[in-house]
Amino acid sequence: MTEPLPVLIENSLQIAWDYLVGIGELADEQQTAEFLLRNIQSQMLEGERRILMLSNRAIESYRKQPNHLQLVRCG
């Protein structure tokens, strides 16, 4: 059973968002949401459809940004 793409995007984004909030690594909300959404959409264009894979890869990419911890500490 495959979820419609908008639902897949929403669920993947929500999982990533909740995780980052939970560990206290959420920087600027607008920038974070845009980053996660772009990352998830990019993965989907490459054919990925597994919710947890989309979420986990988006989180990993977000955390690899060189300035993400600075944004958290300053924000």
Side-chain angles (χ1 to χ4, degrees):
M1 187 158 117
T2 305
E3 294 183 57
L5 294 183
V7 174
L8 185 62
I9 292 169
E10 180 181 357
N11 290 343
S12 299
L13 181 59
Q14 190 65 54
I15 291 167
W17 184 271
D18 290 346
Y19 177 80
L20 292 171
V21 168
I23 64 170
E25 288 192 16
L26 187 67
D28 178 86
E29 290 183 0
Q30 185 67 35
Q31 287 180 332
T32 301
E34 290 173 7
F35 179 89
L36 294 173
L37 180 58
R38 280 192 311 271
N39 186 279
I40 290 168
Q41 288 173 329
S42 175
Q43 291 181 67
M44 291 180 72
L45 288 173
E46 295 174 359
E48 184 60 67
R49 296 293 186 268
R50 296 171 290 177
I51 291 175
L52 290 178
M53 187 62 75
L54 291 165
S55 301
N56 289 339
R57 287 181 178 165
I59 292 165
E60 181 180 351
S61 293
Y62 175 80
R63 294 182 80 195
K64 284 184 178 179
Q65 293 181 103
N67 62 347
H68 100 275
L69 286 178
Q70 286 178 328
L71 292 172
V72 173
R73 290 188 187 118
C74 294

